Amino acid sequence: MIVCAPIAVLDSEFGSNAEVSITAQSPASWRLSRPPAAALPTALATSVAFAPDATCLLATGSDHTIRLLETHTASGQPWAPSIRYSIPSPLYGVAWYPLMSSQRPDTAVFLASAKDQPVHLYDAFTGKSRASYSCYNELEQLKGPRSVAFSSSGEHILCGLESEINVFHIARPGRQRSRILTGTKNGGKGRSPGVISAISAAADDSYIAFGTYRGHIALLDAQDFRPILEFDSGDDGCGVTQLLFSRDSRRLFHASRKSNAIVVRDVRMIANPMFMFTRDGNTNQSISIDMDVTDQILFSGGRDGRLTGFDAVLGRKKVFDAVVSTDCLNGVSCSAISSHIALSIGERHFILPDSDSDPDPEEIEERERIVSCVAMCHFAHDEDGEVPRPD
């Protein structure tokens, strides 16, 4: 049996005002409830990301703010952000330093990318920016990368732009960088043109994968960034929203915008998919996926508010399926050292006008309702530690 127990819920920060509960529909038994929320919603939670040492997590919101939450909050105590990072423009993504440890404050940093802004390296203890890395196009215009990631060694910073990847050395802030051209902007030359929407580095420092909004995926050698293989995602041209390597670096998972499919590929035969899992992903929101600490179960959120677990080893379908909310579960992040899962829920609701007359702007604002919160739960396998199998 799988058991999930709630640990902490943050809703007052985002202003959620709807009931959130978790009920299982597979070999599991759990329920999550929370106290009444603030009456006026303020922001939509868009993603969560556990720190590599699992001592804290980052929660991003539509209010251009990153919130750092401690994971060791005492039971029954309010769960509130330790630090808030306000960004002047819409956020594109965040990435933890892969060797981060709270025992070594010099490693407690993460990257944040935003529209028309340099990539900032933020200190998780002080909340200040330690360094910035600037990407410029051919017209000398500052551009914020749509995707950002560290190499697995933490030595390099990878920034995805339109038809190119900028590679910075972490010790050299500024604009000194290497450029990897992936294609031309008009699509006439180059195999992988388009905006680089997702980047992921294998843990064994062997490969770097990137995907584009045009549905292309490519592998690079992590040592010299040489192209190895390029192929289509297979989602009818839908933009790739996330790439994820398994913890053993042998499998690559990818998901796309407005697609219900999660594709699993073996990096040794990457052109042919191993498995394909299904979740409700038909939404403009990015629905994240992540591997659990055992590297056996792939978790995914869904537009229907379900948390779904798939057997990523044998390719069985759902081994875990729970209703988290009636609203979109857009963020899932698993701890790398413990059986904890962080979730973000966020969805906008609009109340249609009663008449055909044009409403006042103030009326339109009042008719928008945001349902949003961040939660952390504990996920436990059965006593023998094996992945549960469906009957």
Side-chain angles (χ1 to χ4, degrees), residues 24-103:
Q25 295 188 357
S26 68
S29 177
W30 58 317
R31 181 174 177 80
L32 171 65
S33 60
R34 59 181 182 79
L40 296 177
T42 57
L44 181 78
T46 55
S47 70
V48 286
F50 257 112
D53 68 350
T55 57
C56 56
L57 60 89
L58 299 174
T60 62
S62 61
D63 57 352
H64 311 169
T65 300
I66 305 171
R67 295 163 174 85
L68 188 143
L69 299 158
E70 303 288 341
T71 58
H72 59 267
T73 304
S75 178
Q77 296 297 318
W79 201 28
S82 302
I83 302 177
R84 295 177 182 84
Y85 307 83
S86 295
I87 312 297
S89 58
L91 275 164
Y92 287 153
V94 295
W96 281 103
Y97 182 63
L99 307 179
M100 179 269 186
S101 172
S102 295
Q103 303 300 317

Side-chain angles (χ1 to χ4, degrees), residues 151-153 200-209 219-220 222-223 244-253 264-270 274 291-292 294-296 312:
S151 62
S152 59
S153 65
S200 181
D204 64 358
D205 209 20
S206 56
Y207 301 112
I208 291 170
L219 277 187
L220 305 177
Q223 305 304 316
L244 175 71
F245 280 99
S246 59
R247 301 187 190 278
D248 62 6
S249 303
R250 296 179 180 177
R251 290 155 290 165
L252 177 67
F253 309 90
V264 187
R265 298 177 185 267
D266 189 320
V267 296
R268 297 165 295 184
M269 300 176 290
I270 201 164
M274 291 176 59
M291 289 295 294
D292 78 327
T294 68
D295 207 25
Q296 299 180 71

Side-chain angles (χ1 to χ4, degrees), residues 358-368:
D358 294 335
D360 295 332
E362 293 183 0
E363 277 188 64
I364 296 177
E365 188 173 339
E366 290 177 358
R367 286 173 179 164
E368 180 183 3

Side-chain angles (χ1 to χ4, degrees), residues 5 71-73 79 108 118 156 167 179 208 229 282 296 308 334 341:
T71 58
H72 59 267
T73 304
W79 201 28
H156 294 101
V167 182
R179 298 175 64 196
I208 291 170
L229 182 67
N282 187 19
Q296 299 180 71
T308 309
C334 298
I341 305 177

Side-chain angles (χ1 to χ4, degrees), residues 123-321:
D123 191 304
F125 281 97
T126 66
K128 297 180 180 179
S129 176
R130 287 195 191 175
S132 62
Y133 308 85
S134 301
C135 300
Y136 288 86
N137 62 11
E138 62 275 8
L139 300 177
E140 288 297 301
Q141 297 171 327
L142 180 63
K143 292 295 182 181
R146 293 305 299 257
S147 54
V148 66
F150 278 103
S151 62
S152 59
S153 65
E155 185 178 358
H156 294 101
I157 295 170
L158 311 170
C159 301
L161 299 155
E162 186 172 0
S163 299
E164 69 175 81
I165 298 175
N166 285 189
V167 182
F168 295 87
H169 194 285
I170 190 173
R172 300 190 190 102
R175 59 181 299 174
Q176 183 180 352
R177 66 200 186 279
S178 301
R179 298 175 64 196
I180 303 172
L181 300 180
T182 63
T184 56
K185 294 181 181 179
N186 59 16
K189 188 178 180 181
R191 295 185 181 180
S192 301
V195 176
I196 309 299
S197 53
I199 303 178
S200 181
D204 64 358
D205 209 20
S206 56
Y207 301 112
I208 291 170
F210 72 85
T212 73
Y213 278 140
R214 295 192 182 186
H216 300 293
I217 298 175
L219 277 187
L220 305 177
D221 188 292
Q223 305 304 316
D224 56 11
F225 307 108
R226 173 179 50 86
I228 297 176
L229 182 67
E230 298 167 345
F231 55 92
D232 288 333
S233 66
D235 282 328
D236 298 326
C238 294
V240 178
T241 56
Q242 187 177 359
L243 290 164
L244 175 71
F245 280 99
S246 59
R247 301 187 190 278
D248 62 6
S249 303
R250 296 179 180 177
R251 290 155 290 165
L252 177 67
F253 309 90
H254 60 86
S256 301
R257 174 181 174 271
K258 300 196 75 173
S259 173
N260 294 332
I262 303 171
V263 182
V264 187
R265 298 177 185 267
D266 189 320
V267 296
R268 297 165 295 184
M269 300 176 290
I270 201 164
N272 300 313
M274 291 176 59
F275 317 121
M276 186 175 292
F277 302 129
T278 302
R279 50 90 190 267
D280 188 354
N282 187 19
T283 174
N284 284 321
Q285 290 203 60
S286 177
I287 307 296
S288 64
I289 57 177
D290 203 4
M291 289 295 294
D292 78 327
V293 66
T294 68
D295 207 25
Q296 299 180 71
I297 300 179
L298 176 72
F299 281 102
S300 173
R303 186 191 63 168
D304 53 2
R306 307 181 82 93
L307 176 64
T308 309
F310 303 97
D311 183 350
V313 177
L314 299 180
R316 303 280 182 89
K317 299 305 179 182
K318 299 177 182 179
V319 296
F320 181 81
D321 188 15

